[in-house]
C-alpha cells in the first residue's frame, strides 16, 4: 500500500538520527552546528583513548540512502559525519560508513514501530535485529564502532555487544531503553565495551541559542561526555540521564 507523500515525509523526519533532539526547540540555522559539535566531542575522546591508527566504522542513518529523503535529514546526518571526521582527524581513520539494514516493516511502514516513542535515536527501533552484526562483520578491520543511530532495540541479539566480541562502541545521544538498568551501562563502560557516549547536559542552553565559534566551549555547555573516568560520578549526579 502506498503512503501519502506527507506521511512519508513525517516518517522520514522521525527516522532521522537525533533530529528530534536537535530540532525540538531551535531553528534550522543552528541545528547542524550543534550536531557537528556533539559528534566532534565524541570523536576527540576516541583519539585520546584509542591507539593511533585504529580504524573506525561509523554506523549512519539508512533513511539517508533513500531517493526521497528530506534535505534536512540528509544535512543533519552529514553534520554528524563531518563532526566525527573532524574529531578523528588523521589519527583514527574512518574505515567505512555503513547504513544498517532496516526491518521489512520499517521499510514499508515505520510509523507502526514508532507509535508513542519519543527518542533521540528512532532508527534504533527500525533496524533489523542482526543489522549491526552484518555491518560490523563486513569491516572486521574496524575494532571501534561509532553509532550515530544508537544501539539496536533488540540489543540482546547483537553479537558485537556481547563481552566475547572485541568490538568497542561509541554512541552519539543514545537511547538506553534497550538496557534495563544503570548497572549494565556501568559495566559496559568499565569493561571497555562502551568507550564513550555523549548525552545532552541538564540545564544546557536551549537549542534556539546560537552556538559560538569555540566548539569546545559549546560542547562543554551543551553536552555530557561519559567515559570510564567519570561514569560513576555521572550515574550518581545525573541519574535521570539514562
Amino acid at each position: 500500500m502506498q503512503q501519502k507523500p506527507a506521511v512519508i515525509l513525517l516518517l522520514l523526519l522521525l527516522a532521522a538520527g537525533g533530529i528530534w533532539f536537535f530540532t525540538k526547540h531551535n531553528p534550522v540555522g543552528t541545528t547542524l552546528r550543534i550536531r557537528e559539535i556533539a559528534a566532534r566531542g565524541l570523536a576527540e575522546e576516541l583519539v585520546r583513548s584509542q591507539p593511533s591508527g585504529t580504524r573506525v566504522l561509523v554506523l549512519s542513518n539508512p533513511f539517508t540512502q533513500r531517493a526521497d529523503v528530506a534535505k534536512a535529514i540528509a544535512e543533519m546526518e552529514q553534520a554528524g559525519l563531518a563532526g566525527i571526521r573532524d574529531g578523528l582527524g588523521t589519527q583514527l581513520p574512518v574505515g567505512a560508513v555503513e547504513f544498517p539494514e532496516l526491518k521489512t516493516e520499517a521499510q514499508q511502514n515505520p510509523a507502526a514501530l514508532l507509535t508513542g516513542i519519543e527518542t533521540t535515536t528512532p532508527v534504533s527501533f527500525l533496524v533489523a535485529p542482526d543489522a549491526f552484526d552484518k555491518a560490523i562483520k563486513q569491516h572486521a578491520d574496524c575494532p571501534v564502532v561509532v553509532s550515530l543511530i544508537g544501539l539496536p532495540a533488540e540489543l540482546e541479539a547483537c553479537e558485537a555487544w556481547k563481552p566475547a566480541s572485541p568490538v568497542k562502541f561509541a554512541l552519539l545521544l543514545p537511547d538506553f531503553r534497550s538496557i534495563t538498568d544503570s548497572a549494565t551501562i556501568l559495566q559496559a563502560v568499565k569493561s571497555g565495551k562502551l568507550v564513550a557516549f555523549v548525552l545532552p547536559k541538564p540545564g544546557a542552553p536551549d537549542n534556539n541559542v546560537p552556538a559560538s565559534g569555540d566548539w569546545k566551549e559549546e560542547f562543554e555547555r551543551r553536552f555530557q561526555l561519559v567515559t570510564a573516568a567519570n561514569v560513576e560520578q555521572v550515574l550518581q549526579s545525573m541519574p535521570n540521564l539514562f
Side-chain angles (χ1 to χ4, degrees):
M1 180 183 297
Q2 289 189 343
Q3 300 177 46
K4 296 179 180 180
V7 176
I8 294 174
L9 175 61
L10 173 61
L11 297 180
L12 290 177
L13 284 171
L14 285 172
I19 202 168
W20 169 79
F21 169 75
F22 284 104
T23 61
K24 64 179 179 177
H25 296 304
N26 65 313
V28 173
T30 307
T31 61
L32 302 182
R33 173 68 175 158
I34 295 176
R35 183 167 175 83
E36 185 174 347
I37 287 170
R40 183 167 181 175
L42 180 64
E44 290 219 347
E45 171 57 29
L46 293 180
V47 171
R48 287 190 290 270
S49 65
Q50 303 303 303
S52 180
T54 300
R55 294 174 66 81
V56 175
L57 171 64
V58 182
L59 300 182
S60 187
N61 185 354
F63 283 88
T64 62
Q65 302 305 290
R66 293 176 55 148
D68 58 351
V69 66
K71 181 181 179 182
I73 295 173
E75 289 180 342
M76 186 69 71
E77 200 67 3
Q78 286 302 313
L81 291 170
I84 293 297
R85 292 185 185 278
D86 286 346
L88 295 179
T90 59
Q91 290 100 319
L92 303 183
V94 174
V97 177
E98 283 288 337
F99 306 90
E101 178 184 350
L102 294 166
K103 297 175 181 176
T104 301
E105 186 177 2
Q107 297 174 19
Q108 300 172 349
N109 184 20
L113 302 178
L114 293 173
T115 301
I117 297 175
E118 187 177 78
T119 174
T120 54
T121 58
V123 180
S124 296
F125 301 88
L126 304 177
V127 296
D130 61 349
F132 274 42
D133 285 330
K134 284 183 177 179
I136 290 168
K137 287 178 182 178
Q138 289 176 3
H139 302 281
D141 62 332
C142 298
V144 175
V145 175
V146 173
S147 176
L148 304 181
I149 56 175
L151 292 168
E154 294 91 348
L155 189 58
E156 69 282 354
C158 182
E159 293 296 325
W161 181 255
K162 295 179 179 179
S165 170
V167 175
K168 302 176 182 178
F169 286 87
L171 307 174
L172 181 65
L173 297 172
D175 183 329
F176 282 122
R177 74 184 70 192
S178 60
I179 298 178
T180 57
D181 57 79
S182 59
T184 301
I185 298 173
L186 177 62
Q187 174 61 26
V189 175
K190 286 293 189 180
S191 69
K193 173 60 65 178
L194 184 50
V195 176
F197 56 94
V198 170
L199 296 173
K201 181 178 288 186
D206 285 344
N207 289 352
N208 59 357
V209 178
S212 70
D214 187 332
W215 80 266
K216 289 186 178 180
E217 177 181 306
E218 286 300 320
F219 185 89
E220 290 298 323
R221 291 174 65 197
R222 297 174 185 269
F223 300 105
Q224 176 66 58
L225 176 69
V226 183
T227 68
N230 69 350
V231 62
E232 291 177 318
Q233 176 186 349
V234 172
L235 283 170
Q236 291 175 3
S237 62
M238 305 177 185
N240 293 328
L241 283 180
F242 304 95

